[in-house]
Amino acid sequence: MRLLVLGGTHFLGRHVATAALARGHDVATFTRGISGPPPEGARALHGDRDGPQALSAALDGWAPELVVDTSCQTRAAARNAAAVLTGVQGSGVRGYAFVSSLNAYRNWPPGPVGPEDGEPTWTTDDDEYGPNKAASERILGDVLGDRFLTARAGLIIGPHDPIHRLGWWLDRIARGGRVVVPDSLEQPIAVVDARDLAGWLVEAAERGLSGGVNATGPTGMTTLGGLLDLCREVTGSDAEWVPLSQEVLLAAGVEPWVHLPLWLPDEIARTGWDVDTTRARELGLPSRPLRESVADTWAWQQANERPPLPAGGHRSEPGLPPELEQQLLAPR
Ligand SMILES: NC(=O)c1ccc[n+]([C@@H]2O[C@H](COP(=O)([O-])OP(=O)(O)OC[C@H]3O[C@@H](n4cnc5c(N)ncnc54)[C@H](OP(=O)(O)O)[C@@H]3O)[C@@H](O)[C@H]2O)c1
């Protein structure tokens, strides 16, 4: 079928395009052309989805039957897609899988997040990530009805990840020696491999699945310590953990999630990783062994230059600045 990826040249979208090609679809990606080309075999359509005419002009009569939307960050982007993909060029759309975030939920973080139907999403006008995702879900869901599925993704990992959270830990641990880690290594963590999510999104569009899905790994699949141990094994490192308490880390100015990626303060971590994924499991979202995700990310990272952080965002570079690390490792 003709499958349009809104996005498709970066990380999750790239895996979506790859999965769709492998399943025999005629695939087009729609991007601004900043992040490079899509996987070979996909047709590259260009334009800025925040502009009202761009998608229609780029499609130029090519009428998608399936859509996987990985790139929506604004209400305008959702409105423009809704207008085109329910108009003449979208009359054949049978399934639309949208990538949202757990941030669409008003109460997350810190959560916990229960089954999808009982969890309120943001309804405010704020031009922020969570409210924008929630509003975009409504804009598209209202016009697509039971052809619309929204996957509220948790933390996505895997090869081609430009955000470099797991990537930073892999690099740092591979260098070996004494490595600062939070002493709360038992914090639970749940992740979804981009390849698992991507393949499932394509199938979800094919099957015309609808409604909200908490799209992440099963609660309790690992812990922060379990993930870091895997990083040490996979990189063959001799790294020695130097566990420091939350009080010491925060007092030194360590920013949770940013300086020590994937680490959250205890009061958020307690419930933040507690997400009900019953529906995702029922609908077949796979969860490959974490070791495979970590090993494949490391293999990709070693063989490729690190991609730039996504354009237009306001992300901080992940990782512990070297001077802060030295300060934390100094004898006290
Ligand atoms: N990473 C996580 O842990 C995580 C967690 C929860 C949810 N999410 C969501 O998951 C999705 C995954 O994103 P991804 O980066 O992996 O997807 P992707 O589709 O691989 O990359 C984003 C794509 O969007 C395109 N793009 C950006 N702005 C655009 C615009 N204004 N008009 C047209 N195209 C545009 C980019 O290409 P150009 O730059 O060339 O335009 C790029 O191809 C996002 O929606 C994110 O909010 C991510």
Side-chain angles (χ1 to χ4, degrees):
M1 283 194 259
R2 288 181 298 277
L3 186 147
L4 172 67
V5 187
L6 292 173
T9 54
H10 231 157
F11 175 37
L12 178 62
R14 163 169 290 279
H15 290 296
V16 169
T18 303
L21 288 164
R23 289 175 73 80
H25 293 298
D26 177 6
V27 177
T29 58
F30 177 71
T31 69
R32 294 165 301 180
I34 297 173
S35 308
E40 206 178 316
R43 62 185 81 200
L45 308 179
H46 290 134
D48 186 335
R49 63 178 294 176
D50 288 325
Q53 311 304 332
L55 178 57
S56 174
L59 287 174
D60 192 24
W62 192 84
E65 296 158 288
L66 305 175
V67 181
V68 181
D69 184 346
T70 57
S71 67
C72 188
Q73 301 291 344
T74 64
R75 293 157 207 240
R79 271 194 294 272
N80 296 335
V84 175
L85 296 169
T86 57
V88 178
Q89 292 186 90
S91 57
V93 172
R94 296 159 44 145
Y96 192 122
F98 178 81
V99 180
S100 184
S101 163
L102 292 174
N103 289 95
Y105 290 122
R106 207 175 57 203
N107 301 327
W108 190 89
V113 176
E116 295 79 357
D117 286 349
E119 284 292 333
T121 55
W122 287 102
T123 51
T124 57
D125 292 335
D126 306 319
D127 184 15
E128 288 170 11
Y129 184 61
N132 283 344
K133 284 285 193 193
S136 299
E137 291 182 1
R138 279 191 295 277
I139 290 165
L140 286 156
D142 282 352
V143 292
L144 288 151
D146 62 7
R147 293 174 291 161
F148 181 75
L149 172 114
T150 178
R152 298 185 183 124
L155 180 67
I156 307 171
I157 64 167
H160 292 281
D161 181 359
I163 300 177
H164 203 58
R165 294 185 186 115
L166 174 59
W168 180 80
W169 278 115
L170 282 163
D171 276 343
R172 176 61 197 90
I173 290 169
R175 286 207 308 278
R178 299 171 71 230
V179 175
V180 172
V181 298
D183 69 0
S184 47
L185 289 170
E186 75 295 344
Q187 279 188 2
I189 284 201
V191 298
V192 60
D193 189 294
R195 296 163 296 179
D196 289 336
L197 182 55
W200 179 80
L201 287 165
V202 172
E203 284 186 46
E206 287 169 0
R207 291 160 67 192
L209 296 181
S210 58
V213 182
N214 297 333
T216 189
T219 299
M221 65 184 277
T222 191
T223 58
L224 180 56
L227 184 62
L228 297 184
D229 285 348
L230 272 180
C231 291
R232 184 162 53 185
E233 278 173 47
V234 155
T235 56
S237 163
D238 66 354
E240 177 198 337
W241 298 162
V242 180
L244 297 178
S245 70
Q246 173 167 315
E247 291 67 35
V248 168
L249 292 171
L250 294 179
V254 174
E255 286 179 44
W257 199 254
V258 175
H259 288 157
L260 291 178
L262 315 185
W263 168 61
L264 291 169
D266 290 335
E267 59 276 19
I268 299 177
R270 243 190 303 279
T271 50
W273 297 100
D274 185 359
V275 176
D276 188 311
T277 61
T278 308
R279 183 154 200 250
R281 310 278 82 84
E282 282 169 3
L283 293 178
L285 174 62
S287 181
R288 74 184 63 203
L290 188 59
R291 176 184 300 276
E292 192 179 317
S293 302
V294 174
D296 291 352
T297 304
W298 178 235
W300 166 77
Q301 205 159 303
Q302 285 177 293
N304 294 278
E305 263 184 43
R306 196 186 141 195
L309 285 172
H314 306 283
R315 290 180 191 284
S316 312
E317 183 65 27
L320 198 55
E323 39 319 329
L324 191 48
E325 181 179 47
Q326 274 173 21
Q327 180 193 323
L328 289 164
L329 289 175
R332 59 195 72 232

